[in-house]
């Protein structure tokens, strides 16, 4: 079981991991409301995919749980579970 | 850590997979690098485009393909059907041909070798059998590619397996990222690759570390020699720690064979430490292996600064290894530019930590490199042989018996000349950087020549240490390049070079010889020489010599010219 707070911490850890691979100007702000999808998002689809795969690895490492978070159908939903770190954390907590 | 690369360097990635993650990681690793990605999935077409020179021709190419993406025959072999090895190798030759064509228009081409996941069993025990095994075929393909590209001085094959290993072997491959975005590898692979690529770009730009400075106690051997005497230190002797330190020393010794110079900075009693280095039966490194040392109780950063001044090297040419984190922090803080790697407390990890350092990467190894440690040892003895009281500088130089031999650029000295061209900073008038091919092409243009200078004295041979570029104009010959290894500065070689330049220009019927000094952050010693050279300073760092008069060679130098009259 993951609480929403724990899930959000894992999302931020995943953001740290992908930020380490991104140049200045492409890094993702670690805020619950950062837009991760849609036209307002600074992330392109590849960065979002990398973030979701990194989050799966973070959870596997921290919790020993294998989660399948990357769902192609959800990638195109601007208001879906991937839209912000907060919604993503809620999605993770619910799925865990 | 952001690494240095040449400003305005452009790198184009050519791949059969989505290389955007690599491009971003490279941009994060080396912020000065302009990274572009060719449309993925069409590596052959992208290479062919690079072979046709355009204004967008990249300065450097990185070609990273999966074997099945570059060679269709390998894709067939993946289905376990018998393959025609010759047909596959012909495809490799064709791919190599495209790389060669691209290399003619690029400054350098980096090619990642082909690999496949270690967990892929292929045909199991049959996998190394000819004409059926996948790994047998892959090894053949890599060898064929390396042989085809091996003679090109600006093409370098990079070790993909190292990147995959650093990312955790099988964990390096990401079937999920492949399915979602046509990215075959986990991001950690690209981080390792980016570090390797930037290290290679640094090597191309001549930013190779030349000096390894070592602590002694618990770094080069186990224990404190001042307390136990050399008989009590852990080195060799079939103990775990002793074997670990001895293995580390052997790896250090190996570095000297590729041109890395060694020095010591240790808080110790000098006589006690040198006794250990001289007398311990298992010591792999002896005093003659070191270009210099500071073994005393003074501040290490100050000692290292003194050492660097003695060796005429900048901090950015040096690496400092010490087991003590406080000493490492002090040196790193006091000497910006010096590389101070984190060092493992476990001595069994020391050798592999040293072997993993990318800072010694170089794009060529010359005879001068291989003998550099001996050159510096000779220099230490030279300095130790102090002139008798009352000896004038000229008398001392005459006693040294300096010989200078002038030779035009030729295929035998081209590699070393290009290396000198790209590595020399302090005594470099114009700081032009050119590859061996570019240098040779420039020298072949009508009116241009490159003269090289070999220097020796009674203590040893410095090798090829000076280089002049000369270009004939209507009445004026221009010294385009004037560079000299800092090892031979101040011995009259500089004046011998100008003597040779004046003679050459006079022989070609010119009226005037001029040189435009181009200041950089590093070449103030060169400017100081030019201002005292005797040339007239007629403009903003423009130095002129009328060719109606000779430029005398120093009387202390024996000058031999192999330049055709």
């Amino acid at each position: 079981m993951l609480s929403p707070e724990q899930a959000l911490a894992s999302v931020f850890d995943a953001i740290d991991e992908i930020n380490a691979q991104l140049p200045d100007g492409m890094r993702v702000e670690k805020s619950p409301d950062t837009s991760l999808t849609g036209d307002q998002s600074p992330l392109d689809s590849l960065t979002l995919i990398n973030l979701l795969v990194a989050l799966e690895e973070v959870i596997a490492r921290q919790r020993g749980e294998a989660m399948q978070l990357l769902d192609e159908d959800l990638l195109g939903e601007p208001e879906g579970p991937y839209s912000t770190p907060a919604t993503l954390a809620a999605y993770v907590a619910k799925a865990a | 850590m952001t690494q240095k690369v040449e400003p305005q360097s452009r790198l184009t990635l050519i791949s059969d997979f989505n290389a955007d993650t690599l491009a971003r990681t490279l941009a994060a690793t080396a912020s000065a690098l302009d990274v572009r990605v060719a449309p993925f999935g069409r590596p052959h077409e992208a290479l062919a485009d690079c072979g046709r020179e355009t204004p967008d021709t990249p300065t450097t190419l990185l070609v990273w393909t999966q074997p099945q993406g570059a060679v269709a025959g390998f894709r067939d072999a993946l289905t376990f059907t018998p393959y025609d090895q010759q047909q596959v190798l012909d495809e490799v030759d064709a791919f190599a041909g495209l790389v060669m064509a691209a290399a003619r228009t690029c400054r350098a081409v980096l090619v990642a070798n082909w690999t496949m996941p270690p967990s892929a069993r292929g045909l199991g025990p049959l996998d190394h059998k000819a004409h059926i095994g996948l790994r047998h075929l892959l090894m053949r393909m890599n060898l064929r590619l390396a042989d085809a590209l091996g003679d090109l001085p600006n093409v370098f094959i990079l070790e993909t397996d190292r990147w995959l290993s650093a990312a955790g072997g099988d964990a390096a491959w990401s079937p999920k990222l492949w399915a979602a975005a046509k990215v075959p590898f986990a991001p950690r692979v690209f981080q390792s690759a980016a570090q390797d690529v930037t290290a290679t770009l640094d090597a191309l730009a001549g930013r190779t570390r030349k000096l390894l400075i070592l602590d002694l106690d618990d770094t080069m051997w186990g224990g404190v020699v001042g307390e136990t005497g050399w008989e009590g230190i852990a080195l060799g002797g079939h103990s775990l720690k002793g074997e670990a330190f001895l293995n580390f020393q052997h790896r250090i010794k190996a570095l000297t064979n590729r041109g890395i110079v060694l020095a010591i900075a240790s808080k110790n009693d000098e006589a006690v430490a040198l006794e250990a280095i001289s007398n311990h039966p298992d010591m792999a490194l002896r005093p003659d292996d070191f270009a210099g040392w500071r073994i005393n109780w003074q501040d290490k950063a100050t000692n290292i600064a003194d050492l660097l001044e003695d060796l005429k090297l900048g901090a950015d040419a040096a690496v400092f290894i010490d087991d003590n984190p406080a000493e490492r922090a002090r040196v790193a803080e006091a000497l910006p530019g010096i590389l101070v790697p984190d060092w493992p407390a476990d001595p069994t990890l020391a050798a592999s930590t040293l072997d993993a350092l990318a800072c010694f990467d170089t794009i060529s190894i010359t005879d001068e490199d291989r003998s550099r440690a001996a050159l510096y040892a000779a220099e230490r003895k030279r300095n130790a042989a102090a002139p008798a009281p009352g000896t004038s500088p000229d008398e001392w130089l005459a006693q040294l018996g300096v010989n200078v031999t002038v030779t035009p650029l030729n295929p035998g000295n081209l590699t070393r000349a290009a290396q000198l061209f790209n590595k020399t900073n302090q005594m470099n008038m114009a700081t032009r950087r050119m590859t061996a091919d570019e240098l040779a092409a420039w020298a072949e243009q009508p009116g241009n020549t490159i003269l090289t200078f070999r220097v020796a004295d009674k203590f040893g041979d410095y090798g090829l240490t000076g280089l002049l570029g000369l270009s004939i104009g209507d009445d004026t010959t221009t010294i385009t390049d004037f560079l000299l290894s800092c090892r031979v500065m101040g011995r009259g070689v500089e004046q011998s070079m100008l003597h040779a330049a004046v003679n050459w220009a006079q022989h070609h019927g010119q009226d005037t010889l001029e040189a435009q000094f181009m200041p950089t952050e590093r070449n103030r010693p060169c400017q100081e020489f030019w201002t005292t050279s005797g040339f007239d300073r007629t403009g903003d760092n423009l130095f002129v010599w009328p060719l109606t008069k000779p430029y005398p060679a120093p009387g202390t130098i024996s000058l031999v010219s192999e330049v055709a009259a």
Side-chain angles (χ1 to χ4, degrees):
Chain A
M1 281 291 290
L2 270 175
S3 69
E5 292 77 18
Q6 289 171 322
L8 186 61
S10 295
V11 172
F12 285 166
D13 286 346
I15 289 175
D16 282 339
E17 286 195 11
I18 66 156
N19 276 346
Q21 303 148 20
L22 292 172
D24 288 343
M26 287 190 73
R27 295 192 177 129
V28 182
E29 187 186 347
K30 261 188 349 183
S31 157
D33 302 322
T34 298
S35 182
L36 302 179
T37 59
D39 294 341
Q40 301 305 311
S41 170
L43 280 69
D44 61 12
S45 59
L46 179 60
T47 308
L48 180 58
I49 289 170
N50 278 333
L51 173 64
L52 293 167
V53 173
L55 180 57
E56 289 181 359
E57 290 177 359
V58 165
I59 292 169
R61 205 164 52 236
Q62 294 178 344
R63 302 274 160 190
E65 295 174 30
M67 296 188 72
Q68 307 301 321
L69 300 174
L70 178 58
D71 182 335
E72 211 169 4
D73 292 336
L74 299 178
L75 283 173
E77 287 186 19
E79 302 302 322
Y82 302 158
S83 60
T84 66
T87 61
L88 183 54
Y91 179 67
V92 168
K94 187 176 171 187
Chain B
M1 184 176 70
T2 299
Q3 298 185 0
K4 287 182 183 176
V5 295
E6 203 73 25
Q8 293 96 41
S9 285
R10 192 164 74 210
L11 178 73
T12 296
L13 310 182
I14 291 181
S15 180
D16 65 320
F17 56 82
N18 181 349
D20 283 349
T21 305
L22 174 61
R24 292 165 191 186
T25 308
L26 277 164
T29 306
S31 56
L33 198 59
D34 174 11
V35 186
R36 302 177 185 190
V37 184
F40 79 86
R42 298 187 296 115
H44 301 83
E45 291 89 335
L47 276 170
D49 286 346
C50 288
R52 292 186 286 271
E53 196 164 8
T54 71
D56 286 333
T57 299
T59 52
T60 304
L61 274 185
L62 172 60
V63 184
W64 188 356
T65 55
Q66 301 171 102
Q68 64 271 28
V71 177
F74 189 80
R75 191 163 53 234
D76 296 339
L78 283 171
T79 65
F80 302 132
T81 51
Y83 54 76
D84 180 340
Q85 181 172 290
Q86 189 53 50
Q87 191 177 331
V88 173
L89 296 181
D90 287 347
E91 274 194 77
V92 173
D93 290 343
F95 187 78
L98 290 170
V99 173
M100 285 185 228
R104 282 194 284 273
T105 63
C106 296
R107 190 172 177 80
V109 181
L110 317 182
V111 182
N113 71 336
W114 290 311
T115 187
M116 55 188 285
S119 63
R121 288 191 56 75
L123 288 172
L126 297 176
D127 220 30
H128 284 279
K129 296 277 190 191
H131 305 293
I132 185 166
L134 281 175
R135 293 199 188 272
H136 179 92
L137 183 60
L138 192 63
M139 284 194 290
R140 285 259 180 204
M141 288 166 58
N142 276 319
L143 190 58
R144 185 77 161 211
L145 186 70
D147 284 344
L149 302 176
D151 288 337
L152 297 179
N154 65 333
V155 177
F156 305 94
I157 295 184
L158 303 185
E159 181 55 53
T160 317
D161 283 329
R162 185 165 57 228
W163 310 338
L164 303 175
S165 172
D170 278 331
W173 303 77
S174 177
K176 181 166 287 189
L177 284 173
W178 176 253
K182 289 293 173 280
V183 180
F185 306 115
R188 284 187 297 279
V189 175
F190 297 118
Q191 286 179 302
S192 179
Q195 287 167 2
D196 224 5
V197 169
T198 48
T200 306
L201 295 176
D202 278 345
L204 279 163
R207 283 187 294 270
T208 298
R209 303 272 170 172
K210 300 170 186 167
L211 174 66
L212 178 59
I213 305 171
L214 295 146
D215 170 50
L216 293 177
D217 291 337
D218 286 323
T219 299
M220 240 171 67
W221 55 65
V224 178
V225 68
E227 293 178 1
T228 64
W230 63 262
E231 300 90 343
I233 61 176
L235 184 66
H238 307 292
S239 74
L240 186 150
K241 277 178 72 173
E243 288 296 329
F245 283 110
L246 182 57
N247 189 28
F248 177 51
Q249 285 202 11
H250 282 303
R251 299 312 303 151
I252 296 167
K253 177 88 175 176
L255 282 178
T256 64
N257 293 329
R258 51 185 278 196
I260 307 303
V261 176
L262 306 180
I264 298 169
S266 169
K267 286 182 176 168
N268 247 312
D269 182 286
E270 180 174 332
V272 171
L274 290 179
E275 184 187 19
I277 296 169
S278 300
N279 294 345
H280 195 290
D282 288 334
M283 192 74 64
L285 297 164
R286 297 296 186 186
D288 271 357
D289 290 309
F290 296 94
W293 52 74
R294 289 291 185 279
I295 304 173
N296 55 42
W297 301 101
Q298 308 302 313
D299 171 54
K300 274 195 187 179
T302 308
N303 273 333
I304 290 173
D306 285 350
L307 259 175
L308 291 171
E309 193 172 328
D310 275 4
L311 300 174
K312 301 185 177 71
L313 291 171
D316 56 3
V319 180
F320 174 57
I321 291 177
D322 196 313
D323 67 297
N324 185 329
E327 296 286 11
R328 294 202 299 267
R330 161 70 187 143
V331 170
E333 188 266 334
L335 298 170
I338 195 168
L339 178 67
V340 185
D342 290 339
W343 205 246
D346 180 351
T348 62
L349 301 176
S352 57
T353 304
L354 181 71
D355 283 344
L357 293 177
C359 57
F360 300 122
D361 283 6
T362 183
I363 57 165
S364 62
I365 298 179
T366 62
D367 289 344
E368 275 81 1
D369 291 325
R370 294 188 193 284
S371 57
R372 183 174 292 128
L375 293 174
Y376 273 91
E379 179 70 5
R380 181 169 50 75
K381 289 176 181 170
R382 191 177 287 118
N383 291 337
T391 305
S392 73
D394 278 352
E395 286 170 336
W396 170 236
L397 285 176
Q399 287 172 22
L400 281 177
V402 178
N403 289 286
V404 176
T405 305
V406 194
T407 309
L409 190 72
N410 61 53
N413 62 26
L414 175 61
T415 301
R416 169 59 184 161
Q419 188 186 60
L420 194 66
F421 214 84
N422 289 305
K423 283 186 170 181
T424 306
N425 293 310
Q426 296 182 79
M427 199 61 164
N428 194 337
M429 184 190 77
T431 318
R432 284 202 300 168
R433 303 298 194 198
M434 285 197 275
T435 64
D437 281 350
E438 289 166 344
L439 191 61
W442 185 87
E444 283 174 6
Q445 289 176 28
N448 290 353
T449 196
I450 297 282
L451 301 182
T452 70
F453 296 79
R454 292 187 66 90
V455 179
D457 67 16
K458 70 177 184 180
F459 287 98
D461 188 348
Y462 290 98
L464 197 164
T465 43
L467 190 148
L468 265 182
L470 294 159
S471 184
I472 294 175
D474 290 337
D475 302 311
T476 299
T477 289
T478 302
I479 299 178
T480 55
D481 306 281
F482 176 93
L483 46 105
L484 183 68
S485 167
C486 52
R487 297 203 306 273
V488 293
M489 281 162 54
R491 303 229 164 106
V493 182
E494 300 92 324
Q495 290 81 1
S496 302
M497 292 170 68
L498 294 189
H499 172 78
V502 167
N503 280 359
W504 189 87
Q506 286 175 329
H507 175 74
H508 285 85
Q510 299 277 282
D511 295 335
T512 308
L513 180 64
E514 68 176 25
Q516 177 66 57
F517 175 80
M518 305 292 288
T520 70
E521 290 179 1
R522 306 279 302 278
N523 67 354
R524 180 172 291 277
C526 191
Q527 187 175 32
E528 287 170 2
F529 165 71
W530 276 101
T531 54
T532 59
S533 65
F535 276 51
D536 294 327
R537 189 172 185 165
T538 61
D540 187 16
N541 283 320
L542 182 67
F543 296 88
V544 176
W545 185 266
L547 291 171
T548 50
K549 58 178 182 177
Y551 189 95
T556 56
I557 297 256
S558 170
L559 185 64
V560 176
S561 177
E562 295 177 352
V563 181

